[in-house]
């Protein structure tokens, strides 16, 4: 089934304790699209400047990502993010954020995308997420992501958006920031009172928590010893999850649990190299292979 995503398309500069990369392909919608492309076609809505290398667009197209909703702003500069991981790679600092054309982004959903059944509002200003939602016709499932910047600076817009989504995906620190609750179960319960029917709290190397009115479902992260760059873990997790749901064309509680498992597996690959490099080297069969190992690890 059709899967639409709106979010950032970025050129990232990343510092880890071991290595540095400058101006590599990044962005929430980029990681999401690639991860989802293992399962389904993707319709992408985003914005870049004319400094955006055309090869990135070609690469996405080669993965059946429809880029008809990508605006290229003449004379504009692409969104740039610079981040640094500390010795404990769970800790990240944003060193620089240049919103550039993403700061004045007015998303236009092409006519051919408006009937999308599954919609993911990847990390972007809540107003951009809302504007996208206004242009789609009654989707079957709407899920949003967010981050600390938007919770701090545009909380009212975010609360307004949450009334219109079925699910919210965010990390543990963001869940606490949004709800003023230190306990994640209480935070998740509070989020369900804001609109979403389910929330997925990502906890980095500690896995993920799905919370619905039926209660919690928990998964550990796949234990990889080769963490090179955690950037995009959350977005690739969401891409794997939403791609699987769109492929199955349902989002009942059981399918949602399986989707979380695929999200976990895709994210575990993504962190094994910079940018999208590791994902580019694997296929759907690799995901299923790792999933079988993951299942083995949890039998007791
Ligand atoms: P993640 O590691 O899953 O949180 O995603 C990191 C990606 O999000 C990077 O590729 C960044 O380009 C992008 N990003 C960072 N800050 C923002 C922001 N405020 N809005 C949208 N995307 C962002």
């Amino acid at each position: 089934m059709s899967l639409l995503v709106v979010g950032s398309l970025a050129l990232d500069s990343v510092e880890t304790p071991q290595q540095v990369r400058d101006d590599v392909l990044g962005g929430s919608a980029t990681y999401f699209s690639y991860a989802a492309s293992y399962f389904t076609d993707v319709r992408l809505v985003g914005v870049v400047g004319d400094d955006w290398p055309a090869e990135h667009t070609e690469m996405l197209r080669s993965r059946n990502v429809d880029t008809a909703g990508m605006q290229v702003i003449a004379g504009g500069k692409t969104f740039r993010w610079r981040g640094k991981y500390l010795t404990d790679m769970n800790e990240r600092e944003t060193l620089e954020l240049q919103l550039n054309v993403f700061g004045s982004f007015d998303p236009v959903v092409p006519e051919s995308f408006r009937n999308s059944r599954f919609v993911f509002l990847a990390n972007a200003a809540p107003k951009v997420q809302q504007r996208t939602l206004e242009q789609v016709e009654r989707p079957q499932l709407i899920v949003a992501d967010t981050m600390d910047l938007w919770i701090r600076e545009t909380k009212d817009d975010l609360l307004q958006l949450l009334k219109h989504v079925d699910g919210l995906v965010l990390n543990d620190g963001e869940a606490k920031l949004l709800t003023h609750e230190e306990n994640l179960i209480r935070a998740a319960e509070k989020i369900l009172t804001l609109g979403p029917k389910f929330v997925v709290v990502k906890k980095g190397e500690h896995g993920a928590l799905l919370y619905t009115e039926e209660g919690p479902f928990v998964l550990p992260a796949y234990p990889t010893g080769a963490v090179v760059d955690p950037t995009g873990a959350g977005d690739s997790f969401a891409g794997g999850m939403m791609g699987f749901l769109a492929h199955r064309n349902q989002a009942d509680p059981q399918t949602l649990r399986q989707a979380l498992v695929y999200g976990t597996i895709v994210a575990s690959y993504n962190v094994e190299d910079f940018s999208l490099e590791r994902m580019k080297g694997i296929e759907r069969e690799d995901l299923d292979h790792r999933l079988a190992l993951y299942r083995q690890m949890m039998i007791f």
Side-chain angles (χ1 to χ4, degrees), residues 198-220:
F198 69 87
V199 54
V200 179
V201 182
K202 299 164 291 175
K203 299 181 291 172
E205 69 171 337
H206 302 298
L209 161 75
L210 166 69
Y211 200 86
T212 67
E213 60 174 15
E214 290 172 3
F217 169 69
V218 288
L219 282 177

PDB file of all heavy atoms in Angstrom, residues 198-220:
ATOM      1  N   PHE A 198      -1.405   5.051  19.798  1.00  0.00           N
ATOM      2  CA  PHE A 198      -0.218   4.331  20.277  1.00  0.00           C
ATOM      3  C   PHE A 198       1.000   5.240  20.232  1.00  0.00           C
ATOM      4  O   PHE A 198       1.039   6.228  19.489  1.00  0.00           O
ATOM      5  CB  PHE A 198       0.028   3.040  19.475  1.00  0.00           C
ATOM      6  CG  PHE A 198       0.457   3.231  18.039  1.00  0.00           C
ATOM      7  CD1 PHE A 198       1.795   3.387  17.705  1.00  0.00           C
ATOM      8  CD2 PHE A 198      -0.488   3.230  17.026  1.00  0.00           C
ATOM      9  CE1 PHE A 198       2.189   3.542  16.375  1.00  0.00           C
ATOM     10  CE2 PHE A 198      -0.109   3.382  15.694  1.00  0.00           C
ATOM     11  CZ  PHE A 198       1.242   3.545  15.374  1.00  0.00           C
ATOM     12  N   VAL A 199       1.961   4.889  21.081  1.00  0.00           N
ATOM     13  CA  VAL A 199       3.217   5.643  21.083  1.00  0.00           C
ATOM     14  C   VAL A 199       4.359   4.635  21.096  1.00  0.00           C
ATOM     15  O   VAL A 199       4.259   3.584  21.733  1.00  0.00           O
ATOM     16  CB  VAL A 199       3.288   6.626  22.297  1.00  0.00           C
ATOM     17  CG1 VAL A 199       3.065   5.921  23.622  1.00  0.00           C
ATOM     18  CG2 VAL A 199       4.620   7.378  22.324  1.00  0.00           C
ATOM     19  N   VAL A 200       5.411   4.942  20.336  1.00  0.00           N
ATOM     20  CA  VAL A 200       6.614   4.115  20.349  1.00  0.00           C
ATOM     21  C   VAL A 200       7.728   4.976  20.932  1.00  0.00           C
ATOM     22  O   VAL A 200       8.071   6.022  20.376  1.00  0.00           O
ATOM     23  CB  VAL A 200       7.001   3.633  18.933  1.00  0.00           C
ATOM     24  CG1 VAL A 200       8.274   2.793  18.993  1.00  0.00           C
ATOM     25  CG2 VAL A 200       5.864   2.844  18.297  1.00  0.00           C
ATOM     26  N   VAL A 201       8.262   4.537  22.073  1.00  0.00           N
ATOM     27  CA  VAL A 201       9.364   5.266  22.702  1.00  0.00           C
ATOM     28  C   VAL A 201      10.661   4.513  22.383  1.00  0.00           C
ATOM     29  O   VAL A 201      10.824   3.347  22.757  1.00  0.00           O
ATOM     30  CB  VAL A 201       9.167   5.371  24.227  1.00  0.00           C
ATOM     31  CG1 VAL A 201      10.311   6.178  24.842  1.00  0.00           C
ATOM     32  CG2 VAL A 201       7.822   6.014  24.572  1.00  0.00           C
ATOM     33  N   LYS A 202      11.564   5.199  21.663  1.00  0.00           N
ATOM     34  CA  LYS A 202      12.843   4.585  21.290  1.00  0.00           C
ATOM     35  C   LYS A 202      13.860   4.878  22.390  1.00  0.00           C
ATOM     36  O   LYS A 202      13.960   6.016  22.854  1.00  0.00           O
ATOM     37  CB  LYS A 202      13.344   5.179  19.960  1.00  0.00           C
ATOM     38  CG  LYS A 202      12.407   4.944  18.793  1.00  0.00           C
ATOM     39  CD  LYS A 202      12.741   5.860  17.625  1.00  0.00           C
ATOM     40  CE  LYS A 202      12.427   7.301  17.945  1.00  0.00           C
ATOM     41  NZ  LYS A 202      12.838   8.263  16.911  1.00  0.00           N
ATOM     42  N   LYS A 203      14.611   3.831  22.764  1.00  0.00           N
ATOM     43  CA  LYS A 203      15.550   3.998  23.873  1.00  0.00           C
ATOM     44  C   LYS A 203      16.983   3.670  23.452  1.00  0.00           C
ATOM     45  O   LYS A 203      17.758   3.139  24.242  1.00  0.00           O
ATOM     46  CB  LYS A 203      15.116   3.090  25.031  1.00  0.00           C
ATOM     47  CG  LYS A 203      13.711   3.443  25.550  1.00  0.00           C
ATOM     48  CD  LYS A 203      13.304   2.560  26.722  1.00  0.00           C
ATOM     49  CE  LYS A 203      13.089   1.143  26.272  1.00  0.00           C
ATOM     50  NZ  LYS A 203      12.881   0.212  27.406  1.00  0.00           N
ATOM     51  N   GLY A 204      17.301   3.954  22.184  1.00  0.00           N
ATOM     52  CA  GLY A 204      18.662   3.726  21.696  1.00  0.00           C
ATOM     53  C   GLY A 204      19.068   2.279  21.871  1.00  0.00           C
ATOM     54  O   GLY A 204      18.310   1.365  21.527  1.00  0.00           O
ATOM     55  N   GLU A 205      20.257   2.061  22.459  1.00  0.00           N
ATOM     56  CA  GLU A 205      20.747   0.677  22.580  1.00  0.00           C
ATOM     57  C   GLU A 205      19.905  -0.150  23.546  1.00  0.00           C
ATOM     58  O   GLU A 205      20.093  -1.362  23.667  1.00  0.00           O
ATOM     59  CB  GLU A 205      22.215   0.668  22.997  1.00  0.00           C
ATOM     60  CG  GLU A 205      22.466   1.142  24.400  1.00  0.00           C
ATOM     61  CD  GLU A 205      23.916   0.893  24.831  1.00  0.00           C
ATOM     62  OE1 GLU A 205      24.565   0.018  24.263  1.00  0.00           O
ATOM     63  OE2 GLU A 205      24.366   1.594  25.751  1.00  0.00           O
ATOM     64  N   HIS A 206      18.951   0.510  24.240  1.00  0.00           N
ATOM     65  CA  HIS A 206      18.098  -0.235  25.174  1.00  0.00           C
ATOM     66  C   HIS A 206      16.772  -0.641  24.550  1.00  0.00           C
ATOM     67  O   HIS A 206      15.876  -1.124  25.244  1.00  0.00           O
ATOM     68  CB  HIS A 206      17.895   0.572  26.452  1.00  0.00           C
ATOM     69  CG  HIS A 206      19.191   0.917  27.119  1.00  0.00           C
ATOM     70  ND1 HIS A 206      20.042  -0.047  27.599  1.00  0.00           N
ATOM     71  CD2 HIS A 206      19.812   2.102  27.315  1.00  0.00           C
ATOM     72  CE1 HIS A 206      21.126   0.528  28.073  1.00  0.00           C
ATOM     73  NE2 HIS A 206      21.012   1.836  27.906  1.00  0.00           N
ATOM     74  N   GLY A 207      16.618  -0.428  23.252  1.00  0.00           N
ATOM     75  CA  GLY A 207      15.437  -0.960  22.575  1.00  0.00           C
ATOM     76  C   GLY A 207      14.285   0.015  22.443  1.00  0.00           C
ATOM     77  O   GLY A 207      14.490   1.228  22.380  1.00  0.00           O
ATOM     78  N   ALA A 208      13.082  -0.547  22.389  1.00  0.00           N
ATOM     79  CA  ALA A 208      11.912   0.299  22.149  1.00  0.00           C
ATOM     80  C   ALA A 208      10.714  -0.207  22.946  1.00  0.00           C
ATOM     81  O   ALA A 208      10.608  -1.392  23.270  1.00  0.00           O
ATOM     82  CB  ALA A 208      11.575   0.303  20.661  1.00  0.00           C
ATOM     83  N   LEU A 209       9.838   0.724  23.249  1.00  0.00           N
ATOM     84  CA  LEU A 209       8.626   0.422  24.015  1.00  0.00           C
ATOM     85  C   LEU A 209       7.420   0.870  23.195  1.00  0.00           C
ATOM     86  O   LEU A 209       7.347   2.025  22.775  1.00  0.00           O
ATOM     87  CB  LEU A 209       8.666   1.221  25.330  1.00  0.00           C
ATOM     88  CG  LEU A 209       7.369   1.431  26.094  1.00  0.00           C
ATOM     89  CD1 LEU A 209       6.955   0.148  26.820  1.00  0.00           C
ATOM     90  CD2 LEU A 209       7.520   2.551  27.122  1.00  0.00           C
ATOM     91  N   LEU A 210       6.507  -0.058  22.955  1.00  0.00           N
ATOM     92  CA  LEU A 210       5.233   0.298  22.303  1.00  0.00           C
ATOM     93  C   LEU A 210       4.187   0.372  23.401  1.00  0.00           C
ATOM     94  O   LEU A 210       4.102  -0.538  24.230  1.00  0.00           O
ATOM     95  CB  LEU A 210       4.859  -0.791  21.291  1.00  0.00           C
ATOM     96  CG  LEU A 210       3.417  -0.776  20.751  1.00  0.00           C
ATOM     97  CD1 LEU A 210       3.180   0.437  19.843  1.00  0.00           C
ATOM     98  CD2 LEU A 210       3.121  -2.070  19.990  1.00  0.00           C
ATOM     99  N   TYR A 211       3.413   1.432  23.404  1.00  0.00           N
ATOM    100  CA  TYR A 211       2.374   1.546  24.422  1.00  0.00           C
ATOM    101  C   TYR A 211       1.038   1.847  23.754  1.00  0.00           C
ATOM    102  O   TYR A 211       0.927   2.778  22.958  1.00  0.00           O
ATOM    103  CB  TYR A 211       2.743   2.640  25.437  1.00  0.00           C
ATOM    104  CG  TYR A 211       1.979   2.475  26.729  1.00  0.00           C
ATOM    105  CD1 TYR A 211       2.450   1.634  27.736  1.00  0.00           C
ATOM    106  CD2 TYR A 211       0.771   3.132  26.927  1.00  0.00           C
ATOM    107  CE1 TYR A 211       1.734   1.454  28.916  1.00  0.00           C
ATOM    108  CE2 TYR A 211       0.058   2.957  28.100  1.00  0.00           C
ATOM    109  CZ  TYR A 211       0.545   2.114  29.089  1.00  0.00           C
ATOM    110  OH  TYR A 211      -0.168   1.932  30.249  1.00  0.00           O
ATOM    111  N   THR A 212       0.049   0.995  24.051  1.00  0.00           N
ATOM    112  CA  THR A 212      -1.310   1.198  23.538  1.00  0.00           C
ATOM    113  C   THR A 212      -2.266   1.104  24.717  1.00  0.00           C
ATOM    114  O   THR A 212      -1.838   0.863  25.852  1.00  0.00           O
ATOM    115  CB  THR A 212      -1.694   0.106  22.527  1.00  0.00           C
ATOM    116  OG1 THR A 212      -1.781  -1.147  23.230  1.00  0.00           O
ATOM    117  CG2 THR A 212      -0.671  -0.028  21.409  1.00  0.00           C
ATOM    118  N   GLU A 213      -3.565   1.201  24.459  1.00  0.00           N
ATOM    119  CA  GLU A 213      -4.527   1.093  25.572  1.00  0.00           C
ATOM    120  C   GLU A 213      -4.474  -0.306  26.194  1.00  0.00           C
ATOM    121  O   GLU A 213      -4.923  -0.510  27.320  1.00  0.00           O
ATOM    122  CB  GLU A 213      -5.934   1.438  25.108  1.00  0.00           C
ATOM    123  CG  GLU A 213      -6.430   0.531  24.009  1.00  0.00           C
ATOM    124  CD  GLU A 213      -7.882   0.777  23.656  1.00  0.00           C
ATOM    125  OE1 GLU A 213      -8.422   1.811  24.043  1.00  0.00           O
ATOM    126  OE2 GLU A 213      -8.456  -0.105  22.992  1.00  0.00           O
ATOM    127  N   GLU A 214      -3.888  -1.265  25.450  1.00  0.00           N
ATOM    128  CA  GLU A 214      -3.750  -2.620  26.008  1.00  0.00           C
ATOM    129  C   GLU A 214      -2.545  -2.741  26.932  1.00  0.00           C
ATOM    130  O   GLU A 214      -2.346  -3.781  27.551  1.00  0.00           O
ATOM    131  CB  GLU A 214      -3.603  -3.637  24.873  1.00  0.00           C
ATOM    132  CG  GLU A 214      -4.877  -3.810  24.077  1.00  0.00           C
ATOM    133  CD  GLU A 214      -4.663  -4.667  22.833  1.00  0.00           C
ATOM    134  OE1 GLU A 214      -3.550  -5.173  22.609  1.00  0.00           O
ATOM    135  OE2 GLU A 214      -5.641  -4.805  22.088  1.00  0.00           O
ATOM    136  N   GLY A 215      -1.712  -1.697  26.971  1.00  0.00           N
ATOM    137  CA  GLY A 215      -0.537  -1.736  27.835  1.00  0.00           C
ATOM    138  C   GLY A 215       0.748  -1.750  27.041  1.00  0.00           C
ATOM    139  O   GLY A 215       0.749  -1.460  25.855  1.00  0.00           O
ATOM    140  N   PRO A 216       1.874  -2.100  27.710  1.00  0.00           N
ATOM    141  CA  PRO A 216       3.180  -2.025  27.045  1.00  0.00           C
ATOM    142  C   PRO A 216       3.592  -3.297  26.303  1.00  0.00           C
ATOM    143  O   PRO A 216       3.158  -4.387  26.650  1.00  0.00           O
ATOM    144  CB  PRO A 216       4.137  -1.783  28.217  1.00  0.00           C
ATOM    145  CG  PRO A 216       3.486  -2.419  29.390  1.00  0.00           C
ATOM    146  CD  PRO A 216       1.993  -2.391  29.145  1.00  0.00           C
ATOM    147  N   PHE A 217       4.423  -3.114  25.275  1.00  0.00           N
ATOM    148  CA  PHE A 217       5.113  -4.210  24.590  1.00  0.00           C
ATOM    149  C   PHE A 217       6.555  -3.735  24.460  1.00  0.00           C
ATOM    150  O   PHE A 217       6.792  -2.611  24.012  1.00  0.00           O
ATOM    151  CB  PHE A 217       4.495  -4.433  23.204  1.00  0.00           C
ATOM    152  CG  PHE A 217       5.298  -5.350  22.317  1.00  0.00           C
ATOM    153  CD1 PHE A 217       5.405  -6.703  22.601  1.00  0.00           C
ATOM    154  CD2 PHE A 217       5.944  -4.859  21.187  1.00  0.00           C
ATOM    155  CE1 PHE A 217       6.154  -7.549  21.784  1.00  0.00           C
ATOM    156  CE2 PHE A 217       6.694  -5.701  20.363  1.00  0.00           C
ATOM    157  CZ  PHE A 217       6.793  -7.054  20.662  1.00  0.00           C
ATOM    158  N   VAL A 218       7.504  -4.563  24.870  1.00  0.00           N
ATOM    159  CA  VAL A 218       8.897  -4.098  24.871  1.00  0.00           C
ATOM    160  C   VAL A 218       9.796  -4.974  24.015  1.00  0.00           C
ATOM    161  O   VAL A 218       9.588  -6.179  23.917  1.00  0.00           O
ATOM    162  CB  VAL A 218       9.490  -4.042  26.304  1.00  0.00           C
ATOM    163  CG1 VAL A 218       8.898  -2.897  27.093  1.00  0.00           C
ATOM    164  CG2 VAL A 218       9.298  -5.365  27.034  1.00  0.00           C
ATOM    165  N   LEU A 219      10.785  -4.356  23.404  1.00  0.00           N
ATOM    166  CA  LEU A 219      11.769  -5.075  22.604  1.00  0.00           C
ATOM    167  C   LEU A 219      13.163  -4.556  22.943  1.00  0.00           C
ATOM    168  O   LEU A 219      13.351  -3.346  23.078  1.00  0.00           O
ATOM    169  CB  LEU A 219      11.550  -4.813  21.113  1.00  0.00           C
ATOM    170  CG  LEU A 219      10.430  -5.553  20.388  1.00  0.00           C
ATOM    171  CD1 LEU A 219      10.361  -5.066  18.946  1.00  0.00           C
ATOM    172  CD2 LEU A 219      10.655  -7.061  20.439  1.00  0.00           C
ATOM    173  N   PRO A 220      14.148  -5.467  23.053  1.00  0.00           N
ATOM    174  CA  PRO A 220      15.531  -4.981  23.181  1.00  0.00           C
ATOM    175  C   PRO A 220      16.029  -4.545  21.806  1.00  0.00           C
ATOM    176  O   PRO A 220      15.436  -4.908  20.785  1.00  0.00           O
ATOM    177  CB  PRO A 220      16.286  -6.235  23.646  1.00  0.00           C
ATOM    178  CG  PRO A 220      15.478  -7.390  23.135  1.00  0.00           C
ATOM    179  CD  PRO A 220      14.039  -6.929  23.055  1.00  0.00           C
TER     180      PRO A 220
END
